[in-house]
Amino acid sequence: MNLQTSRTVLSSARDVVILGAGLIGLATALELADRGASVTVIECGRSLASASTAAAGMLAADDPCNHESLRDLSHLSIERYPGFLRRIEQLSGLQVPFQTETTLQYIAGGPALRLSEHSIDPRQLAVALLAAIGSTPIQLLESTRVTSIQTDASGNRLRLEDGSSLAARAILYATGAWTSETSLLLEGESLSVSPRKGQMLRVRISPSHPLQEVHRSERIYIVPRTHGPQAGTAVIGATVEEAGFDTAVNQHDLDGLRSLAAALIPSLGSIDDAPTVESWAGLRPATPDLLPMLGSGLQSGRFVATGHYRNGILLAPATAVVMADLLEGRSPAVDLSAFSPLRFHATS
Ligand code: GLY
């Protein structure tokens, strides 16, 4: 699909409508807009209000717990991250610094690995990315619901709750944990993504024991914030729960996270030494095999970028590039066959 040509063909239509203004949707919108496409992003709530700002922000490309199939996409994202953050800074005037440079990865029964790995503060990223998007021609419609989508040879027509409609050459689903619900709008398309709740807390770190590195085992991570509004605190996470769309936190689970963290850094076990600043729960988008869905949907003109599960912050820049490539009809630099959105559709 040549986006430049499509604009001529559908003069009043958008080249791409992206459903979902999470990090994946907005990063892809920015990439497409930088390539000359006209883009509208439709979000039923507020932008970047869910998993994108609930995350700890580790760019954990080499976490030994990651699925092998994620390796190339993760490394593409790590390569792209500095340029992604620079572009956001150019547009917004806001820096999003790396918070940490090293991760201590604890392996059961073995010595800890010292990984060269960055983390960011996703809330700092959200502020800067929204300012960046606001400085581009990208149209961002928040608190807006799509009630139906009709697709024919000329493209897609989306009807909105207020009765208005808009046309789009292509639609990209970037709807995170809500993808299964949203895909019902499309006849024949059923995308299986469900929420996996993660409870977390943020604690104040004593200035006498500053933390500069991420500490991570299979069950727990501690992610210090060293720059910006959260400097001097650390995020401790996270539970992994199948609890539907529930985002309640409970003290028992937070206490459990604290004691796992204290096994790695004993001072985190004490509420006096490390008082709680806040706690929250986010909803990770999980596919049945826990790998993302990146690619075309069942019908032409429909694309999917969702299911990033525990790696949405890491994978956003690479996802933006490969999805923009697909939307332009180019072959992405990374083999996406393991991530086909059609892999769960039974063939008859
Ligand atoms: N990305 C960390 C988590 O899912 O808890």
Side-chain angles (χ1 to χ4, degrees), residues 55-58 198 200 221 237-240 284 309-312:
M58 293 174 287
M200 318 179 55
Y221 49 75
T239 62
V240 181
R284 310 172 182 95
Y309 189 43
R310 305 194 73 162
N311 289 299

Side-chain angles (χ1 to χ4, degrees), residues 232-254:
T233 67
V235 171
I236 299 176
T239 62
V240 181
E241 303 167 60
E242 288 195 44
F245 289 92
D246 169 51
T247 52
V249 288
N250 75 68
Q251 196 55 46
H252 179 260
D253 292 325
L254 299 178

